[in-house]
Amino acid sequence: MKYDYLIVGSGLYGAIFAYEANKRGKKCLVIDKRPNIGGNIYTEEQNGINVHKYGAHIFHTSNGEVWQYINNFANFNRYTNSPVAIYKNELYNLPFNMNTFNELWGVITPAEAKLKIEEEKKESGIVEPKNLEEQAISLVGKTIYEKLVKGYTEKQWGKRATELPSFIIKRLPVRFVYDNNYFNDIYQGIPIGGYTKIIEKMLKNIEVKLNCNFFKNREMFENIADKIVFTGPIDEYFNFRFGKLEYRSLKFETEVLDEENHQGNAVVNYTEFEIPYTRIIEHKHFEYGKNLGKEMEEQYKNKTIITREYPDKWELGKEPYYPLNNEKNNALYEKYNELAKNSKSIIFGGRLGQYKYYDMDKVIESALQAVNTEFK
């Protein structure tokens, strides 16, 4: 065998495993079907702005070890995720908090807000929610549901809320404080210089091949290394033996604008169903206080880059972004996971390899756990 490990996918999971294996003297080859490293956290500099090519990525964690680990590869700014939502030209703070409730009802105190929500829940008369709409109303009342949940959720799933099962929404975070910080985690920020620089540091001195699809030359790749770390779709690896797992996909529409500041915030959600995109990302607001040099500063000041994010129906050939972790798909995944457990020469990891929605900190936890198991 030419390599100790073939790592399929250069996203966070694959890059961490490759870095840790290389550190232990193992010879690794990393391949990726895309023309760039980094998977979905890939950032690309344009006009001095680090563009999140595959959607907004805000790093957050309460795991001190994970925070310390990722800070070995980048310095993070103190960005705090405070998105806003627009519904028919009305603007609301997210997550649902006292600022939101004040805008909705004019209430001032937490007691007033709680009373208003409880009144709406009682008025609904819903005891046993039969679908997502009834479940959401039973949690937060009709006003919040109709303005801030309904349209956004229907766009995300590509179905009306009355057609979606109630278990999709088990809870809706409601905070009775004046705090627009979206995450409750202790640590939060954006890597200065973008996420790609993290992956570049991890993969330094490791052989990487891009535009390289594992499935187009599978026989060769399966015989090139002692072991494979696979971060692609687990069902595809097993030739869809039990059927295809389902996903939701995304489409991105990125535009360079001749203005300094388009929307005043990094993330603005559009919650009415009639607007086809779920949010607009303005990338320059993720980073600030940059020392770019006089010429680049002038360019940076006069340009901004926005991305409209559209939910998309997934089918083979499209990028699978979000696993549909309903009962049917989770049962199907367990069948593939049994095959994976019996495949001693392969490690499945990441969102697609483990068919699980992962935040970045959880990807790091999972990758380091796999490293500890492999090299114990």
Side-chain angles (χ1 to χ4, degrees):
M1 294 292 183
K2 191 176 177 183
Y3 301 95
D4 297 303
Y5 292 92
L6 168 72
I7 294 96
V8 181
S10 65
L12 201 48
Y13 188 102
I16 288 171
F17 192 97
Y19 171 80
E20 293 294 334
N22 182 64
K23 201 164 72 173
R24 290 164 173 78
K26 304 299 181 182
K27 191 173 183 185
C28 300
L29 170 65
V30 177
I31 65 170
D32 201 298
K33 66 178 183 180
R34 285 177 175 167
N36 52 264
I37 59 171
N40 288 345
I41 67 169
Y42 173 69
T43 47
E44 178 180 88
E45 188 179 300
Q46 299 176 28
N47 299 101
I49 299 165
N50 287 309
V51 175
H52 296 217
K53 292 285 284 186
Y54 303 102
H57 284 80
I58 298 104
F59 195 90
H60 58 98
T61 187
S62 290
N63 186 324
E65 290 180 13
V66 165
W67 181 245
Q68 192 174 8
Y69 183 83
I70 200 67
N71 272 266
N72 290 322
F73 305 97
N75 293 317
F76 281 73
N77 68 19
R78 53 179 180 78
Y79 176 83
T80 299
N81 190 30
S82 304
V84 295
I86 292 177
Y87 174 80
K88 296 185 177 178
N89 293 321
E90 300 168 1
L91 190 141
Y92 300 97
N93 288 111
L94 296 175
F96 312 141
N97 67 73
M98 286 304 301
N99 290 308
T100 321
F101 309 143
N102 176 263
E103 189 65 30
L104 284 168
W105 301 304
V107 296
I108 302 294
T109 68
E112 291 173 323
K114 287 179 182 178
L115 183 63
K116 190 68 183 170
I117 291 171
E118 288 305 315
E119 281 177 2
E120 291 199 359
K121 287 163 65 173
K122 191 175 180 181
E123 280 173 18
S124 75
I126 298 166
V127 179
E128 292 185 17
K130 297 180 179 64
N131 53 52
L132 185 145
E133 178 166 288
E134 291 185 356
Q135 174 73 3
I137 293 171
S138 72
L139 290 169
V140 293
K142 192 173 181 180
T143 304
I144 294 174
Y145 167 70
E146 289 190 342
K147 292 192 173 189
L148 299 175
V149 178
K150 184 178 190 291
Y152 192 92
T153 303
E154 290 179 341
K155 287 188 286 189
Q156 272 191 320
W157 289 89
K159 289 183 178 180
R160 292 296 182 180
T162 50
E163 300 170 340
L164 291 165
S166 60
F167 69 78
I168 289 176
I169 291 184
K170 292 176 182 168
R171 66 183 188 89
L172 285 166
V174 175
R175 299 182 192 167
F176 295 98
V177 290
Y178 288 92
D179 183 2
N180 299 326
N181 181 4
Y182 195 81
F183 300 119
N184 284 319
D185 289 306
I186 300 168
Y187 309 104
Q188 183 175 175
I190 302 282
I192 297 167
Y195 287 97
T196 303
K197 292 190 181 301
I198 292 175
I199 305 299
E200 285 173 349
K201 285 184 180 177
M202 288 178 177
L203 297 181
K204 188 180 178 183
N205 302 321
I206 295 172
E207 189 178 348
V208 178
K209 291 184 179 179
L210 301 175
N211 297 303
C212 195
N213 191 323
F214 173 83
F215 294 106
K216 288 187 175 176
N217 208 346
R218 179 169 183 158
E219 189 176 345
M220 185 270 285
F221 283 126
E222 285 186 325
N223 291 288
I224 205 172
D226 293 327
K227 209 159 191 179
I228 296 172
V229 177
F230 189 80
T231 67
I234 188 171
D235 56 341
E236 188 175 7
Y237 182 85
F238 290 112
N239 297 311
F240 308 109
R241 186 181 303 182
F242 305 117
K244 294 182 181 71
L245 291 165
E246 295 175 297
Y247 300 85
R248 284 293 282 168
S249 193
L250 294 170
K251 290 188 293 188
F252 302 102
E253 182 181 275
T254 299
E255 188 177 354
V256 180
L257 303 176
D258 293 322
E259 52 186 299
E260 183 176 3
N261 183 358
H262 179 68
Q263 64 184 18
N265 206 45
V267 181
V268 177
N269 290 356
Y270 287 79
T271 60
E272 60 191 279
F273 183 78
E274 290 70 24
I275 292 176
Y277 43 86
T278 50
R279 60 183 178 174
I280 295 179
I281 301 157
E282 188 168 7
H283 301 271
K284 69 173 4 178
H285 293 303
F286 287 127
E287 298 185 64
Y288 42 83
K290 297 175 75 170
N291 184 14
L292 297 168
K294 191 173 181 181
E295 186 181 332
M296 187 60 87
E297 275 177 10
E298 226 19 64
Q299 192 178 19
Y300 182 83
K301 192 169 79 171
N302 295 320
K303 300 277 186 187
T304 192
I305 300 175
I306 64 168
T307 299
R308 296 177 189 87
E309 189 172 300
Y310 297 82
D312 192 25
K313 182 182 179 182
W314 177 82
E315 55 194 30
L316 272 181
K318 289 184 179 178
E319 198 64 40
Y321 284 96
Y322 298 110
L324 292 187
N325 289 119
N326 55 24
E327 292 177 15
K328 171 190 156 189
N329 282 293
N330 287 344
L332 184 57
Y333 166 70
E334 281 308 317
K335 291 184 178 182
Y336 286 116
N337 194 32
E338 284 302 312
L339 293 181
K341 288 175 184 174
N342 294 322
S343 304
K344 303 301 181 188
S345 62
I346 184 161
I347 297 167
F348 291 91
R351 187 181 294 194
L352 305 182
Q354 294 172 322
Y355 198 67
K356 185 175 182 181
Y357 180 84
Y358 270 131
D359 285 327
M360 287 178 283
D361 63 326
K362 301 303 181 188
V363 173
I364 294 170
E365 285 179 17
S366 179
L368 291 177
Q369 186 177 8
V371 168
N372 290 336
T373 301
E374 184 69 6
F375 300 110
K376 61 185 175 185

